[in-house]
Amino acid sequence: MIIATTRMDKMAAKKTAGPLTLQNDDLDLETRMELFRLQVEIRVCEKKANDLFFQNLIKGTSHLSLGQEAIAAGVATAMRPGDKSFCTYRGHAHTLARGVPMEKVLGELMLRDNGLMRGKGGSMHLTSVEHGVMGSYAIIGAHLPIACGAAWRAQYLGDDDVSVCFFGDGTTNIGAFHEALNFAAIWKLPVVFICENNLYMEYTPIADVTAVEYPAADRASAYGLERIIVDGNDADAVFRVAQSAFDKARAGDGPSLIECLTYRHSGHSRADPAKYRPEGELEQWLERDPIKIYRDRLREFGVSDQQLEAIEAEAKRKVEAATEVCKASPPAPTELLTADVYANGGWEWRN
Amino acid sequence: MAELTYRDAVARGIAQEMERDRNVVFLGEDIAKAGGVFKATVGLYDKFGPTRVRDTPISEQAILGAAMGAAMTGLRPIAEIMFADFAAVCFDYIANEFPKLRYMTNGQLGCPLVVRTGNGGGARFGAQHSQSIENWTMMIPGLKVVAPSSPIDVVGLLAAAVRDNDPVIFHEHKALYAIKGEVPDGEILDKLGTAKILRSGRDATILALGLMVHRAMEAAERLARDHGIDCEVIDVRSLVPLDTNTILNSISKTGRLFTVEENPRLCGWGAEIASIAVDEVFWDLDGPIVRITTPHIPLPAADHLEDLALPNADRIVERISRVMNGSRL
């Protein structure tokens, strides 16, 4: 807990953690408006998902990233079409940030036929290959080596796409994290690892179960990588650091590991009211809400309240329209039960 | 036509597919410069170079994870897990990741890769380097599971596995690497899901896989010679897909079924086939279905104990002749 407060203080004092200094003159307004729009859309969509849960229209589980929108928006905006992203079960934000339509995401969360996988994957497995979203992986750490493989393919075939792998702070203590980083480093793969350190490994403070203060960045040097820490609540800062990592990857200079410091406003999953958090911690972080930060910044750049409100109103309109589409969509047809187990489209394991 | 060892057949099969398709790449521990711990991949590094034949660190999760990432984005990797026992280290990929990818993504992604691994006992390696793990992999929807018993099958089934659009676990038997067999020149392509009748017979059907095929064949010759029992021996070759047509037709013809399995008894593949036989050809059976297996134990390292554990021709002959003569088990 103390670490959380300490980190808040550090960030408030320095505006950003780590060596990066906040520059406000290198991003054009168009990019900034896009970053704002994305963060707002992710926020309203996830809040709607939460409401739909309480109406029992979304079943199973769901892991929201309220408060972490700046990372998905910042990284995705720095990506090019064709780049591949690999998400976790907390992957709604990253999927939306790549331009996947809300109704496809909400449809999948509602397990309807109009969803990304027609209800066969659910909240934890969002995939949209046409948008470069190469799956969401529900086993902690599994997708780091997989992202290495996609990057290896790019390197081998001479493709110029980069693979991006989002994961949480809890992942840094599983073996696959270390195997993947070593593998990516020795093969100099064009892969960018983005650790979203939201202070909690599911229900437990990451500091209670980790030997170093910055669970990703403090281990970077073990793989010959630069120690990179960024304020994950500042979309501009995330965008800059991601862009520089992509440039490095595309130049053939290998992987990067970026630790983004952020905070999860809600519990680990739908089932978690997050009562383990110390009093006042959430309120402190709400002061550093990435959308609030960004709205203030855009105002400084002369964007009017009217313009900002229009973006917010449009996001709300979109999410309401998407919800209605999903509600009207039937569940998937029953023949999907046995479809696509094998490449011939079927499930037969005998002749 | 050349005579090749089983280990040379592995290298021949990989080379054939790498020559045919540039998207076929090969990775694993000690497989490149060293030519593999079983020397089954000698020459591939020299022929195809370091970008296609890549040594990895001892990182089984990274090997299978990277193979999957490459497979789902366009390559056709062959990944080696040195000893089959080590599959447990990276079982997330085998159980959760490769086989479910196509289903969970509603067909958006597939995973066309081959995991080759040194399966089975008989080499005095002890309990953590001798397991026969085909049953671990057989029960997972979405995987294909292949286990060749001869050099020609290694080449043909490996080629079929590489060209298959599903993930295939390819169990090579480490006690067979030194055996020799005729392998024709030129391209060889077999078909997954086809069992092979190695010996035709009228009295009983024996099913076997990998090393046990050789022991079953030896037993069948002795049963014919010494006991007048004429056994049909089928090399199952592929557990998924399973060639139930060939197997059930043979059982209907002979009226008897024996399975010879190297793995521990509990939940062996023979039990699954026995269950299918009872479901589908029960009225053609003339007696009990008998499974000859390793006891439900880890494998010991000591020669005489390991020999006692694994089914051999003596034990197969003894069990089959007793049952065929009407003795109770």
Side-chain angles (χ1 to χ4, degrees), chain B residues 88-310:
Chain B
V89 175
C90 46
F91 211 64
D92 179 39
Y93 296 95
I94 295 170
N96 294 319
E97 308 297 343
F98 317 151
K100 298 179 171 78
L101 185 67
R102 187 179 295 279
Y103 188 84
M104 289 198 314
T105 64
N106 192 42
Q108 288 184 60
L109 288 166
C111 194
L113 59 78
V114 179
V115 179
R116 296 178 39 244
T117 192
N119 197 39
R124 320 314 187 197
F125 285 142
Q128 294 181 340
H129 281 67
S130 303
Q131 290 172 88
S132 217
I133 70 151
E134 64 272 11
N135 294 324
W136 298 0
T137 48
M138 183 188 184
M139 61 182 286
I140 300 164
L143 286 182
K144 290 180 175 170
V145 181
V146 177
S149 70
S150 66
I152 186 171
D153 282 4
V154 166
V155 182
L157 291 174
L158 188 54
V162 170
R163 297 183 204 189
D164 199 274
N165 289 324
D166 290 311
V168 180
I169 313 295
F170 194 81
H171 296 288
E172 291 158 22
H173 201 293
K174 63 174 89 74
L176 293 177
Y177 280 124
I179 66 160
K180 288 183 176 172
E182 294 284 317
V183 180
D185 300 331
E187 183 180 287
I188 301 176
L189 177 63
D190 210 323
K191 194 166 180 286
L192 302 186
T194 51
K196 233 183 204 177
I197 300 173
L198 295 185
R199 184 188 193 284
S200 186
R202 62 173 190 276
D203 299 330
T205 297
I206 307 177
L207 304 182
L209 200 66
L211 175 66
M212 292 300 115
V213 170
H214 299 267
R215 298 192 173 172
M217 283 296 282
E218 186 189 339
E221 295 306 322
R222 281 163 52 183
L223 283 160
R225 188 185 66 214
D226 302 336
H227 300 270
I229 299 168
D230 184 21
C231 292
E232 183 141 303
V233 178
I234 296 180
D235 181 351
V236 180
R237 304 204 308 160
S238 158
L239 292 173
V240 182
L242 183 67
D243 184 359
T244 44
N245 290 342
T246 300
I247 293 168
L248 295 178
N249 285 340
S250 173
I251 297 167
S252 294
K253 179 176 90 173
T254 64
R256 295 283 194 159
L257 173 60
F258 298 89
T259 64
V260 186
E261 302 164 65
E262 179 176 342
N263 40 269
R265 185 169 185 80
L266 200 60
C267 298
W269 55 260
E272 183 60 47
I273 297 178
S275 163
I276 294 169
V278 168
D279 282 350
E280 300 181 31
V281 293
F282 180 78
W283 304 108
D284 297 332
L285 287 168
D286 297 327
I289 297 172
V290 175
R291 295 173 59 219
I292 300 159
T293 69
T294 296
H296 194 61
I297 56 168
L299 276 184
D303 315 40
H304 66 297
L305 294 181
E306 190 180 40
D307 287 345
L308 205 57
L310 297 174

Side-chain angles (χ1 to χ4, degrees), chain A residues 16-311:
Chain A
T16 180
L20 294 160
T21 52
L22 189 65
Q23 305 157 353
N24 282 329
D25 54 359
D26 60 335
L27 293 176
D28 59 40
L29 192 59
E30 197 185 338
T31 306
R32 285 211 162 92
M33 294 302 274
E34 174 65 7
L35 284 166
F36 182 68
R37 183 189 65 76
L38 269 177
Q39 292 180 83
V40 169
E41 285 195 3
I42 294 166
R43 174 69 57 89
V44 298
C45 192
E46 288 218 300
K47 281 195 155 174
K48 176 54 91 174
N50 202 40
D51 295 344
L52 292 168
F53 249 135
F54 291 113
Q55 295 167 40
N56 202 29
L57 286 166
I58 289 181
K59 293 169 185 148
T61 188
S62 176
H63 306 77
L64 305 180
S65 37
L66 300 173
Q68 304 180 193
E69 296 87 349
I71 302 167
V75 174
T77 304
M79 291 174 81
R80 291 185 192 165
D83 288 342
K84 314 274 184 266
S85 46
F86 294 81
C87 316
T88 68
Y89 56 86
R90 196 182 304 287
H92 310 164
H94 312 105
T95 304
L96 289 164
R98 297 292 320 267
V100 178
M102 267 186 203
E103 66 184 56
K104 291 275 190 187
V105 172
L106 284 173
E108 190 59 31
L109 267 57
M110 291 166 73
L111 309 178
R112 303 292 172 114
D113 198 34
N114 76 320
L116 275 175
M117 293 92 75
R118 304 179 73 186
K120 286 179 78 172
S123 160
M124 294 200 282
H125 300 293
L126 300 178
T127 305
S128 181
V129 173
E130 64 167 307
H131 296 91
V133 180
M134 306 304 281
S136 306
Y137 297 82
I139 309 291
I140 303 274
H143 62 314
L144 281 76
I146 297 171
C148 288
W152 173 33
R153 179 265 324 151
Q155 182 188 63
Y156 175 74
L157 294 178
D159 296 341
D160 72 347
D161 61 281
V162 174
S163 292
V164 177
C165 188
F166 297 96
F167 54 93
D169 42 272
T171 300
T172 63
N173 288 324
I174 204 163
F177 168 85
H178 301 276
E179 291 196 15
L181 280 159
N182 184 54
F183 195 88
I186 56 171
W187 287 20
K188 274 201 155 186
L189 297 175
V191 58
V192 176
F193 298 103
I194 307 279
C195 175
E196 298 179 289
N197 181 351
N198 63 17
L199 286 182
Y200 290 92
M201 176 214 82
E202 300 195 2
Y203 294 61
T204 302
I206 190 68
D208 289 2
V209 292
T210 308
V212 291
E213 184 177 1
Y214 294 100
D218 285 350
R219 283 136 163 183
S221 68
Y223 305 104
L225 300 176
E226 193 184 346
R227 183 178 191 271
I228 304 174
I229 299 173
V230 66
D231 179 355
N233 283 18
D234 181 341
D236 289 354
V238 173
F239 174 83
R240 288 188 192 100
V241 75
Q243 199 167 49
S244 126
F246 293 148
D247 289 346
K248 179 183 165 194
R250 273 188 246 278
D253 294 331
S256 300
L257 171 63
I258 299 168
E259 181 164 340
C260 305
L261 304 180
T262 186
Y263 189 79
R264 193 183 69 202
H265 291 174
S266 53
H268 165 63
S269 71
R270 175 200 186 194
D272 172 21
K275 290 195 172 152
Y276 43 80
R277 298 188 296 208
E279 205 175 322
E281 186 181 87
L282 172 63
E283 290 68 23
Q284 240 188 322
W285 278 93
L286 286 174
E287 286 301 307
R288 286 194 51 75
D289 182 333
I291 293 178
K292 180 175 179 292
I293 289 173
Y294 218 80
R295 198 186 289 116
D296 292 347
R297 182 169 305 152
L298 287 177
R299 281 201 191 99
E300 279 175 34
F301 279 92
V303 178
S304 69
D305 283 349
Q306 209 178 4
Q307 279 174 286
L308 296 172
E309 282 158 19
I311 289 172

